[in-house]
Amino acid sequence: MTLRTKLMAGVATAAVALTAAMPAMAAEKWDMPMAYSASNFHSENGAEFAACVTKGTQGEIEITTHPGGALFAGADIKRAIQTGQVQIGERLMSGHQNENAVFGFDSVPFLAPSFEASAKLFEAAKPKMDALLEEQNLVMLYAVPWPPQGLYFNKEVNSVADMAGLKFRSYNNATSRLAELTGMLPVTIEAAEISQAFATGVAESMISSGATGYDRKVWESLSHFYEVDAWLPYNYVMVNKDVWEGTSEAHQGIITSCAGEAADRGLEASKAYTQFTMDGLAEGGMTVGPAGDELMSGLREIGETMTAEWLEAAGEDGKAIVDAFKAME
């Protein structure tokens, strides 16, 4: 083999090696922190979404989920995405209500207490939410509602007066205000810490879905679950806006398609999980059933106060959301 032939062979070998290496070099790895346990239906849905994107982009965008607050605590996830510490993540939407009251549209007591009403409320609020998130360097990809929220206690409760003095797990402004108006003591506790909080007496009650209670096996510490259908809060998956705008149109299309599938799949899972978790709480030994008339009457009065307060705090945007929602009824 001549020197020239050897050189040409070497160049060809290097070119082949470089070409083979290019797809790996071009691949992007996105970390997706999530606040809830891996077994929670939101986390399972997020994992399917991540797999859909990874497969759809042929590995050019590989999303790895980090459930259970493993990478960032729930309260820190949104900020981590905004600042580019991670590319994508999931968070409880109303967890940001202290930033802007509009984030709490889904936690106005008894405004939209069913899956059907909740879907209409979300549709009414989405344009405002998209604009608000854009200002914060974020893009919402999809959102999924929790099952209707009920009340958990470590004793029988028949009226609002029976709730006074209990230590109440809060997770957003609405739950903190509910505690204040019922005479309970709000304690901020992330989802990953619920089991320990109840086991150690840091908290004695909460408002949440049957899903959260079932996932955290709260029957080990609590005795009663009352169905009140107060609201259906949303979890949403958001991506850093700069990252999104730097993603090719082809990949954006794939991600959007996977997000649409995740929204539909998550909604059906939430509906199916509702009765399943009610049954699970009962099997665990809890007393499960609708709240009595006296308790519901007191809660609805408190709901009217909270609704008025939210509308005042949310201003014209809040009024526009409620007006648009009521126009759909």
Side-chain angles (χ1 to χ4, degrees):
M1 182 181 290
T2 65
L3 178 59
R4 182 175 182 279
T5 303
K6 289 181 179 180
L7 288 173
M8 291 298 292
V11 169
T13 300
V16 170
L18 180 60
T19 301
M22 283 180 67
M25 292 173 63
E28 296 182 43
K29 294 185 181 295
W30 291 10
D31 286 308
M32 182 174 169
M34 309 180 81
Y36 297 88
S37 65
S39 62
N40 181 271
F41 77 94
H42 283 291
S43 300
E44 291 178 342
N45 190 37
E48 289 191 58
F49 162 75
C52 177
V53 172
T54 301
K55 180 180 179 180
T57 62
Q58 298 183 331
E60 291 182 17
I61 296 178
E62 180 181 347
I63 300 179
T64 301
T65 59
H66 302 271
L71 192 59
F72 289 96
D76 300 325
I77 290 174
K78 176 170 170 286
R79 182 65 178 169
I81 303 167
Q82 282 179 274
T83 57
Q85 296 177 70
V86 291
Q87 297 82 3
I88 190 172
E90 181 188 59
R91 175 63 172 147
L92 181 73
M93 190 174 289
S94 58
H96 316 306
Q97 193 174 345
N98 60 325
E99 298 176 21
N100 189 307
V102 171
F103 278 113
F105 76 88
D106 60 359
S107 299
V108 179
F110 309 113
L111 176 62
S114 68
F115 281 104
E116 181 179 2
S118 173
K120 292 177 181 178
L121 180 60
F122 181 81
E123 182 181 347
K126 192 174 185 301
K128 299 291 184 183
M129 283 299 309
D130 286 339
L132 176 57
L133 290 170
E134 183 176 11
E135 293 174 2
Q136 299 185 343
N137 198 39
L138 296 166
V139 175
M140 178 164 52
L141 295 179
Y142 72 88
V144 172
W146 286 89
Q149 303 290 280
L151 285 164
Y152 290 84
F153 297 103
N154 62 354
K155 66 173 186 176
E156 183 178 346
V157 171
N158 296 308
S159 67
V160 169
D162 293 339
M163 300 161 69
L166 292 175
K167 289 175 282 187
F168 183 81
R169 177 247 172 173
S170 65
Y171 60 78
N172 61 13
N173 287 24
T175 51
S176 294
R177 184 59 176 149
L178 177 64
E180 293 169 359
L181 291 171
T182 55
M184 294 189 290
L185 308 173
V187 183
T188 301
I189 298 169
E190 285 290 340
E193 303 164 349
I194 286 175
S195 299
Q196 183 179 8
F198 286 125
T200 57
V202 172
E204 303 167 288
S205 58
M206 69 174 177
I207 187 168
S208 194
S209 68
T212 299
Y214 179 79
D215 288 343
R216 309 315 303 182
K217 299 180 180 179
V218 299
W219 55 81
E220 296 175 353
S221 303
L222 304 180
S223 59
H224 288 71
F225 177 83
Y226 294 97
E227 300 168 42
V228 299
D229 295 351
W231 59 76
L232 285 75
Y234 277 79
N235 272 18
Y236 70 120
V237 169
M238 68 201 103
V239 64
N240 178 283
K241 183 184 173 186
D242 294 332
V243 171
W244 181 249
E245 291 180 345
T247 301
S248 70
E249 287 188 13
H251 285 169
Q252 283 185 358
I254 291 167
I255 294 169
T256 299
S257 176
C258 290
E261 292 175 9
D264 293 341
R265 182 175 59 239
L267 175 59
E268 292 310 308
S270 187
K271 290 178 178 178
Y273 215 40
T274 300
Q275 189 59 51
F276 173 81
T277 54
M278 294 294 97
D279 295 341
L281 293 175
E283 290 170 6
M286 296 188 73
T287 299
V288 178
D293 292 342
E294 185 179 356
L295 178 55
M296 283 304 304
S297 176
L299 291 173
R300 289 190 182 282
E301 287 183 15
I302 288 169
E304 290 175 5
T305 298
M306 291 178 63
T307 299
E309 290 176 347
W310 181 79
L311 283 168
E312 182 179 359
E316 289 300 316
D317 285 345
K319 183 178 183 301
I321 290 171
V322 172
D323 287 347
F325 165 64
K326 290 185 174 179
M328 299 178 190
E329 293 182 318

